[in-house]
């Protein structure tokens, strides 16, 4: 099968399309014939060596939408199911930017029925990360939350999920994104001017660093999106950073929110798998609203 990988770090030109053996599922695993797989900033991080792995072949791609093609022993799934899944790809030699991918059966959920496969492929990584980040914050209805990067993929899901739970959200983004961020359910909008100590919690999807924790009231909560990079606790503020985990049951809940019209999935552009390097170049240009999606 064909797969997008990197064997040396660098720019978009470091992405290679190689021929490899089609993986076989082991016990408790399933193989998915990939129909679409989103490209995310974490893939660019792998490509440039931000997570290590020098001298090894590293696979690319975490999001998956496709069809179950083979089922390992003990995996309670059926061949032919249309599914979505998160492939936790850190350090893996193959990812979802391939014609086939093997994942634990527990990572899989039935695909949404109200959107096409390309849109479905934008759900797993960013929606799971947003949901799990909100879990770390443990907010009740009526509490206040600032979400930075509110027009981005992860931040946008966080705004919508929090607002759906009754949390009062302030979205921080560029001025041109105000209408969109408010459409997600943000009660307030800011381009970066937030009162110090005025928020019950902050989810820093934009990785603003030192500015964002200052917005949290004493005893509040802060969650970042780079594992291990959260600031030290001051003024009794709980600090954490989300490390996304594959969770098929939680993903199924998010799929239901898509089908119920609560979550909207955004696609900016599609590329053939053979154009993976071109897709990385487009990602590097920035200014994208919605995900870039590879289609094998």
């Amino acid at each position: 099968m064909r797969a997008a990988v990197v064997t040396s770090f660098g720019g978009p030109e470091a992405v290679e399309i190689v021929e490899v053996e089609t993986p076989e599922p082991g016990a408790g695993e399933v193989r998915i014939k990939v129909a679409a797989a989103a490209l995310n900033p974490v893939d660019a991080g792998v490509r440039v060596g931000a997570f290590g792995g020098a001298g090894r072949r590293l696979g690319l791609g975490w999001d998956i939408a496709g069809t179950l093609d083979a089922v390992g022993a003990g995996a309670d799934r059926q061949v032919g199911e249309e599914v979505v899944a998160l492939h936790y790809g850190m350090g893996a030699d193959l990812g979802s930017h391939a014609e086939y991918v093997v994942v634990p059966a527990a990572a899989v959920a039935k695909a949404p029925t109200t959107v096409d496969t390309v849109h479905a492929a934008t759900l797993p990584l960013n929606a799971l990360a947003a949901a799990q980040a909100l879990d770390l914050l443990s907010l009740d209805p009526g509490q206040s939350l600032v979400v930075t990067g509110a027009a981005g993929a992860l931040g946008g899901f966080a705004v919508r999920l929090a607002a759906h739970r009754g949390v009062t959200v302030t979205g921080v983004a560029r001025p041109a994104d105000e209408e969109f961020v408010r459409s997600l359910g943000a009660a307030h909008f800011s381009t970066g001017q937030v009162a110090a100590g005025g928020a019950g919690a902050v989810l820093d999807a934009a990785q603003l660093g030192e500015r964002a924790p200052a917005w949290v009231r004493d005893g509040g909560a802060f969650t970042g999106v780079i594992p291990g990079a959260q600031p030290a606790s001051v003024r009794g503020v709980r600090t954490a950073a989300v490390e996304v985990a594959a969770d098929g049951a939680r993903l199924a809940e998010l799929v239901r929110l898509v089908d119920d019209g609560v979550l909207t999935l955004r696609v900016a552009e599609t590329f053939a798998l053979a154009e993976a390097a071109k897709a990385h170049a487009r990602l590097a240009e920035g200014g994208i609203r919605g995900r870039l999606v590879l289609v094998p």
Side-chain angles (χ1 to χ4, degrees):
M1 71 167 190
R2 297 174 304 142
V5 303
V6 292
T7 56
S8 61
F9 301 136
E13 72 283 352
V15 178
E16 306 173 49
I17 304 298
V18 298
E19 288 283 347
V20 297
E21 289 190 10
T22 302
E24 295 294 335
E29 296 180 329
V30 297
R31 185 173 67 203
I32 302 172
K33 180 176 173 58
V34 179
L39 174 66
N40 289 283
V42 67
D43 297 306
V46 171
R47 189 196 75 228
V48 301
F51 310 111
R56 298 176 44 222
R57 182 183 78 191
L58 297 173
L60 299 167
W62 293 51
D63 285 312
I64 313 162
T67 305
L68 290 187
D69 168 74
V71 176
D76 187 22
R77 310 296 308 198
Q78 297 294 319
V79 169
E81 282 187 82
E82 300 294 323
V83 298
V84 290
L86 174 68
H87 174 266
Y88 185 88
M90 200 64 70
D93 62 351
L94 290 172
S96 66
H97 295 170
E99 293 179 300
Y100 295 88
V101 63
V102 168
V103 298
V108 171
K110 288 187 176 180
T113 60
T114 56
V115 298
D116 61 29
T117 303
V118 170
H119 283 79
T122 68
L123 178 69
L125 174 59
N126 289 293
L128 278 171
Q132 292 166 3
L134 291 172
D135 290 345
L136 293 174
L137 294 172
S138 301
L139 296 172
D140 294 322
Q143 290 187 284
S144 61
L145 169 68
V146 173
V147 177
T148 72
L154 194 162
F157 281 129
V159 171
R160 189 71 194 100
L161 289 169
H164 185 62
R165 298 178 186 181
V167 173
T168 301
V169 180
T170 297
V172 177
R174 299 173 186 172
D177 291 317
E178 179 172 1
E179 182 178 354
F180 171 71
V181 171
R182 288 187 181 276
S183 77
L184 296 173
H188 309 288
F189 179 83
S190 172
T191 58
Q193 302 301 315
V194 179
V202 169
L203 197 169
D204 188 18
Q207 304 170 40
L208 294 185
E210 294 182 2
R211 272 197 300 157
W215 299 337
V216 183
R217 62 168 173 75
D218 294 359
F222 172 93
T223 291
V225 295
I226 301 179
Q230 65 267 31
S233 176
V234 293
R235 300 182 288 105
V237 174
R238 293 184 293 108
T239 64
V242 64
E243 181 168 6
V244 68
D247 184 339
R250 191 63 175 282
L251 185 54
E253 295 174 5
L254 296 166
V255 167
R256 285 193 287 274
L257 292 177
V258 172
D259 285 338
D260 289 345
V262 175
L263 294 180
T264 300
L265 306 179
R266 296 179 287 161
V267 173
E269 195 172 348
T270 60
F271 296 82
L273 178 62
E275 299 177 307
K278 182 179 177 182
H280 275 254
R282 176 65 189 95
L283 181 66
E285 291 173 2
I288 299 167
R289 289 294 176 256
R291 288 267 66 95
L292 306 176
V293 180
L294 300 181
V295 179

